[in-house]
Amino acid sequence: MSAETHGQRITLLDGGAEAYPRMLAAIDSATRRVHLEVYAFEHEGVGARFVEALIAAARRGVEVKVIVDGWGSIGGSRALADRLRPAGIQVRVHNPLTSVLLMGRLWRNHRKILLVDDTVAFLGGINIGDHYAAAEGRPGWADLALELRGSICAQLGARLTAGASALEAGPVRILLSGFGGGGRLRARYLEALKQARHEVVLAHAYFLPDRGFVRALTRAAKRGVAVHLLLAGRSDVPFARAATMRLYRTLLRGGVHIHEWTETTLHAKAAVVDDHRLLVGSFNLDPLSLVNLETLVEVEDAGAAGQATRWVRQHLGRAKPVTLGDCARSGLQRWLLDVVGLAVARFAEHVASFIGSRRMRHRG
């Protein structure tokens, strides 16, 4: 599924099954530089294939740099570094557990970026791990990534270490948030919702938007835009669904259509507006993504957006529709759900606020 316009080639990749072979092929063909930056890197299973490919690239003289998050890759980052460093690969573990415990550095690197030779880039929600690809009858997590080729890749290569950046080439825009800079990425979502005229389809794994974002969704629905949400009916994060479900009544009463994906874990972070604007990245619509390092790719192209629309609609067709009747639980059930959901939401907001304040003090 590829689209090409203004010299930029855009390919939408459906989960690890499509992304991993192309990512490994890109690493195998690298001649100058490989930059891999992921939140979670499991060094066994499919991760072992990435380890082998990275080591092989380094041994043929390619400059290889790997950045993993200390929390996302907890328990495996040391073993990963021990495998890669002897081959001359630069490995950075972002804020390992010791820095969290000793210095309170809670801010995370949540990006997922593979850049090879500044000519091909992969960005989206996919980490390195067996969860993301089907194996032995087990379906992979529902997720998306974009493969980009063109001048936007050279821009990305020049700005990887520059903190917050906004890059643009033809129909493609890449936003890299600095710590505490996720508001710019949220603003792109809000602008897309504001400009929507016909349809918004949104697939998000960890859906804990603020009141302003919820209002933007319901306002779009009330002015006649068909708003469809594909949300997680099962989650890898405890109580995340309870926090999301407390919003269902408000959204449904506002005219928003909700479906829950239950076949696998939904991990995607994507939206399509009016079949011509696509947003894909690591950025979740939750408080933590406002303060962590994140990426968001925005593409204004009917071909690429159409690919994503078909992906979301295929999943909507197999997902469970949520109605107001599903929300009509007993008073005690509603109370428990609201209490748990509100507690999770408030906890996420307080953690994000704490991370932001700690980060600002650290800078000072």
Side-chain angles (χ1 to χ4, degrees):
M1 295 187 292
S2 299
E4 186 165 358
T5 180
H6 294 85
Q8 312 304 309
R9 186 169 182 81
I10 308 145
T11 305
L12 185 72
L13 303 174
D14 184 358
E18 289 189 0
Y20 291 155
R22 298 176 75 99
M23 294 169 72
L24 288 165
I27 295 171
D28 289 342
S29 66
T31 59
R32 295 183 291 106
R33 177 192 189 194
V34 172
H35 177 99
L36 177 62
E37 189 170 349
V38 289
Y39 178 68
F41 192 135
E42 298 177 8
H43 63 281
E44 298 178 347
V46 71
R49 296 169 58 194
F50 275 88
V51 169
E52 292 169 2
L54 294 166
I55 290 175
R59 286 176 175 167
R60 64 176 182 266
V62 176
E63 177 189 342
V64 181
K65 184 174 184 179
V66 175
I67 301 174
V68 299
D69 186 77
W71 184 259
S73 298
I74 192 171
S77 58
R78 178 174 294 180
L80 178 66
D82 289 345
R83 286 289 312 280
L84 297 178
R85 283 174 177 154
I89 295 173
Q90 302 176 57
V91 181
R92 179 186 171 195
V93 180
H94 179 83
N95 280 354
L97 185 59
T98 52
S99 72
V100 174
L101 296 176
L102 298 178
M103 293 172 280
R105 293 181 177 177
L106 294 170
W107 44 91
R108 311 311 329 158
N109 185 340
H110 195 243
R111 294 174 176 174
K112 290 88 177 171
I113 302 171
L114 172 62
L115 178 66
V116 177
D117 290 341
D118 288 359
T119 60
V120 55
F122 300 82
L123 300 98
I126 301 174
N127 290 295
I128 307 298
D130 288 345
H131 295 304
Y132 296 88
E136 299 179 355
R138 172 187 54 77
W141 286 9
D143 209 342
L144 289 168
L146 287 174
E147 176 186 321
L148 303 176
R149 294 178 182 268
S151 59
I152 193 70
C153 298
Q155 291 187 46
L156 179 62
R159 301 295 296 177
L160 278 171
T161 60
S165 299
L167 320 173
E168 189 169 351
V172 182
R173 173 183 293 179
I174 298 177
L175 294 178
L176 306 175
S177 71
F179 290 109
R184 291 194 313 151
L185 280 60
R186 173 184 176 275
R188 295 311 306 163
Y189 270 92
L190 289 174
E191 184 64 21
L193 288 174
K194 182 180 179 181
Q195 294 180 5
R197 293 295 175 265
H198 308 292
E199 183 182 54
V200 172
V201 289
L202 186 151
H204 262 264
Y206 313 112
F207 189 71
L208 286 175
D210 55 79
R211 293 176 183 174
F213 197 94
V214 171
R215 283 196 299 269
L217 288 170
T218 56
R219 283 172 180 167
K222 288 175 181 177
R223 67 173 185 268
V225 177
V227 181
H228 297 272
L229 304 183
L230 179 68
L231 304 178
R234 49 193 275 193
S235 178
D236 60 315
V237 177
F239 305 113
R241 181 167 175 261
T244 298
M245 288 177 67
R246 55 183 281 273
L247 303 173
Y248 280 3
R249 287 191 297 275
T250 298
L251 291 166
L252 290 168
R253 286 170 178 163
V256 175
H257 304 279
I258 301 174
H259 287 70
E260 288 190 334
W261 178 254
T262 59
E263 290 187 19
T264 59
T265 297
L266 176 69
H267 196 256
K269 310 95 167 50
V272 188
V273 177
D274 292 340
D275 283 331
H276 81 272
R277 177 179 288 182
L278 167 65
L279 296 97
V280 174
S282 67
F283 181 73
N284 289 304
L285 293 168
D286 69 4
L288 296 177
S289 276
L290 295 174
V291 295
N292 292 334
L293 289 177
E294 302 283 1
T295 63
L296 179 64
V297 184
E298 185 174 5
V299 180
E300 294 200 41
D301 176 79
Q307 296 167 17
T309 300
R310 288 190 290 275
W311 185 92
V312 176
R313 284 178 177 161
Q314 288 170 3
H315 285 73
L316 285 173
R318 290 153 50 195
K320 176 184 177 296
V322 178
T323 67
L324 279 171
D326 297 320
C327 301
R329 298 171 177 83
S330 69
L332 178 60
Q333 288 175 322
R334 284 201 306 272
W335 181 81
L336 287 173
L337 179 65
D338 286 346
V339 167
V340 173
L342 183 61
V344 173
R346 291 290 181 264
F347 177 75
E349 291 168 0
H350 289 150
V351 170
S353 177
F354 177 75
I355 292 172
S357 63
R358 289 282 299 174
R359 180 62 182 166
M360 292 305 295
R361 288 201 297 272
H362 179 72
R363 282 179 175 175

